[in-house]
Amino acid sequence: MTDSELRADIHSIEPIPDADRDSTGPQQMWIWAGANIAPVNWALGALGIILKLGLMETIAVIVIGNIVGCAIFAAFTVMGHKTGVNQMVLSRSAFGVRGAYLPSILMFVMTLGWIGVNTYFPVKISIGILGQFGVPDTWLIEIVIITVVMAAQVMIGVYGFYAIRTFEKYTVPPTIAIMVLMSILAWTRPGVVNWGLATSLPPGAHLAMLTLLTTAIGVGWGISWVTWASDYSRFAPRNVPAKSVFWYSYIGMFVPTVWLGILGATIASTTLDTDPAKMVSAVFGGPVSILVLLMVLHGPIATNILNVYSATLAALSAGLKFSRFWLTVIVGIAGYLVTLYFIFAPSFAKAFDNWMISLLLWMSPWAGVVLADFFIKRKGKINVAELYRSPEASAYGDINWAGMIAFFAGLIAGWSVEDGLVGALQGPISINFLGGADLSWLFGIGVSGLVYLVLGKHVTSTSSIAASTAGR
């Protein structure tokens, strides 16, 4: 470990200068692997079982869905690598300088929720493990655990990218070793896994649930990370091939997500519960519980240090005039409050599924617009300086109405074929014509991207209209 690995990150949302872009492909992989070696992925796998799918088809949803979702995510890491710019500022090329404030604000609010979700798990699992050693489950113990975990997350988030990279680099390999031990214990002990568990759903509801969970825990998981992607790949040197950034990021996302998802599904096949404490106590006991506790505490911290860091970048990208330090503190406090909400929610499984579906409702059309803009319209070539000019002077305009209209078109299209667990997230086409099938991620991306490319030839941004009028 060198001093350079631990230096403070002085950067905000400005482009990263070449001298500071020293993150290798393997380091990018460790960042994304660390972020996904987290108990939340146990719940992703267990969710399919709780919602009455069979074990093998739940595993298939996890694997096939993530093959697609992780590829979409990895494509976004290429954007940051090519430009040195964080993800929300990059979206200004598609939405305009101030038009991009909307997705930036949405990402900021969404990330606060993720911080709460990811802190929920170490609390519940720690309580379950400590209970095996006679420590009672009280609200005071829960508050202490939340406080300790949140303080660590905020401290690393304040220190910035280089601390995040170093944390992941040195903690992920031993955590993988614990994952291997956990998997061996879970999959070799008799009575832990019900390998023959089959669905109890009738045919129509069965198909609907398959598509719903493909959206929520398959393809959707990769898409749920796209707004973070360039925040970290912007530190990869220009001389690293783009395909290396893509594949290292892909592997870092895919392997732990699928691995832990399958582990969660197999354990839940017997426990029939997404409560992580019950999942742990059903399989792991004694000294192994201590190792599991270490992984449990590592996972959310490894994930949330990215959430804390990226939330501040999103707020700054939305034009908020705070220092990154104080924004990080604000994010930590808000995330603490959200954690308390999830801790006391009556049904975490339903709350989590509704959370995932609602995220994808806006993230899919946003992703469609940005992908179409970067890879098709601009062919990967962005004028970085124009991203930071004033809205009135930027070549990308104040509000790019082509991007905004395409975004809302994709939003409506995605909602129409969505089948969430609450009425507001059940679209009319899905319910009335598709038997409850959920294709929201596909329609959200496809419709928004297509509309953007069509409108891009005919719709002008507000600043361009103003400049044209002034010149007459």
Side-chain angles (χ1 to χ4, degrees):
M1 188 181 298
T2 65
D3 291 338
S4 63
E5 287 183 313
L6 289 176
R7 67 186 185 273
D9 179 4
I10 61 173
H11 304 294
S12 179
I13 59 171
E14 76 282 359
I16 304 301
D18 288 344
D20 292 336
R21 296 178 62 173
D22 60 356
S23 180
T24 65
Q27 288 173 349
Q28 290 289 309
M29 180 181 68
W30 293 132
I31 288 173
W32 300 115
N36 285 279
I37 301 177
V40 66
N41 285 311
W42 295 4
L44 288 177
L47 194 60
I49 304 300
I50 301 311
L51 297 178
K52 304 186 185 307
L53 286 185
L55 176 57
M56 290 303 163
E57 58 192 354
T58 297
I59 292 174
V61 164
I62 294 169
V63 174
I64 296 172
N66 276 285
I67 288 173
V68 177
C70 291
I72 296 172
F73 156 77
F76 277 81
T77 65
V78 172
M79 299 179 190
H81 168 251
K82 284 183 173 291
T83 61
V85 178
N86 69 294
Q87 199 69 66
M88 286 297 108
V89 169
L90 269 174
S91 68
R92 293 176 179 177
S93 68
F95 291 93
V97 175
R98 284 194 291 193
Y101 286 4
L102 174 61
S104 297
I105 292 170
L106 288 173
M107 181 193 169
F108 176 75
V109 174
M110 170 192 71
T111 307
L112 297 182
W114 272 123
I115 293 171
V117 168
N118 287 310
T119 309
Y120 165 91
F121 286 99
V123 174
K124 285 297 184 180
I125 299 179
S126 297
I127 289 296
I129 292 174
L130 292 174
Q132 298 180 27
F133 297 93
V135 179
D137 179 2
T138 67
W139 67 268
L140 179 60
I141 296 295
E142 293 185 347
I143 292 296
V144 169
I145 295 172
I146 294 172
T147 303
V148 170
V149 173
M150 192 64 69
Q153 294 168 169
V154 171
M155 182 179 67
I156 298 173
V158 165
Y159 216 59
F161 171 79
Y162 303 107
I164 292 172
R165 177 182 65 180
T166 300
F167 179 86
E168 309 288 15
K169 176 181 176 181
Y170 289 99
T171 61
V172 169
T175 307
I176 291 176
I178 297 174
M179 282 175 57
V180 171
L181 175 61
M182 289 170 56
S183 302
I184 291 173
L185 291 175
W187 295 336
T188 59
R189 288 182 175 179
V192 172
V193 181
N194 180 4
W195 295 105
L197 180 68
T199 183
S200 59
L201 296 171
H206 183 213
L207 177 61
M209 190 56 68
L210 281 171
T211 59
L212 171 66
L213 289 170
T214 297
T215 296
I217 68 174
V219 178
W221 186 250
I223 294 176
S224 72
W225 278 102
V226 295
T227 53
W228 285 259
S230 292
D231 295 355
Y232 306 91
S233 61
R234 64 184 179 145
F235 288 90
R238 296 180 190 274
N239 60 4
V240 172
K243 65 180 181 180
S244 294
V245 173
F246 178 96
W247 284 112
Y248 276 116
S249 302
Y250 185 100
I251 292 169
M253 178 71 65
F254 181 85
V255 173
T257 298
V258 171
W259 186 349
L260 281 179
I262 293 174
L263 183 60
T266 51
I267 296 175
S269 68
T270 299
T271 64
L272 300 178
D273 203 313
T274 57
D275 185 328
K278 293 180 181 178
M279 295 171 70
V280 169
S281 62
V283 182
F284 312 109
V288 178
S289 291
I290 301 300
L291 293 177
V292 175
L293 179 60
L294 293 175
M295 196 200 83
V296 164
L297 293 176
H298 164 269
I301 293 174
T303 304
N304 275 345
I305 54 179
L306 271 66
N307 289 330
V308 170
Y309 182 72
S310 286
T312 61
L313 296 184
L316 292 167
S317 300
L320 294 186
K321 304 300 182 182
F322 288 90
S323 68
R324 191 168 66 80
F325 171 83
W326 284 112
L327 277 173
T328 303
V329 173
I330 292 169
V331 165
I333 294 171
Y336 191 98
L337 297 175
V338 174
T339 302
L340 294 178
Y341 164 77
F342 279 110
I343 288 292
F344 296 107
S347 173
F348 178 81
K350 290 185 177 180
F352 182 67
D353 181 77
N354 292 339
W355 169 251
M356 282 296 297
I357 292 292
S358 63
L359 292 187
L360 296 175
L361 184 59
W362 79 266
M363 293 184 76
S364 294
W366 176 86
V369 171
V370 175
L371 285 170
D373 177 77
F374 187 88
F375 289 106
I376 300 177
K377 181 179 180 180
R378 307 191 191 280
K379 302 187 184 305
K381 297 179 180 178
I382 298 292
N383 187 327
V384 172
E386 294 296 326
L387 295 172
Y388 296 89
R389 296 190 70 185
S390 66
E392 299 79 11
S394 174
Y396 296 118
D398 184 352
I399 299 175
N400 182 358
W401 290 106
M404 299 298 286
I405 293 170
F407 172 75
F408 284 106
L411 194 69
I412 294 170
W415 168 77
S416 71
V417 292
E418 185 174 50
D419 181 28
L421 295 181
V422 295
L425 298 178
Q426 294 174 351
I429 295 178
S430 173
I431 300 304
N432 297 322
F433 300 102
L434 299 179
D438 190 313
L439 301 174
S440 55
W441 71 271
L442 181 60
F443 275 68
I445 289 179
V447 170
S448 63
L450 181 61
V451 170
Y452 177 74
L453 294 175
V454 172
L455 290 182
K457 299 178 181 179
H458 306 290
V459 178
T460 311
S461 66
T462 52
S463 63
S464 299
I465 293 174
S468 175
T469 303
R472 288 185 185 138

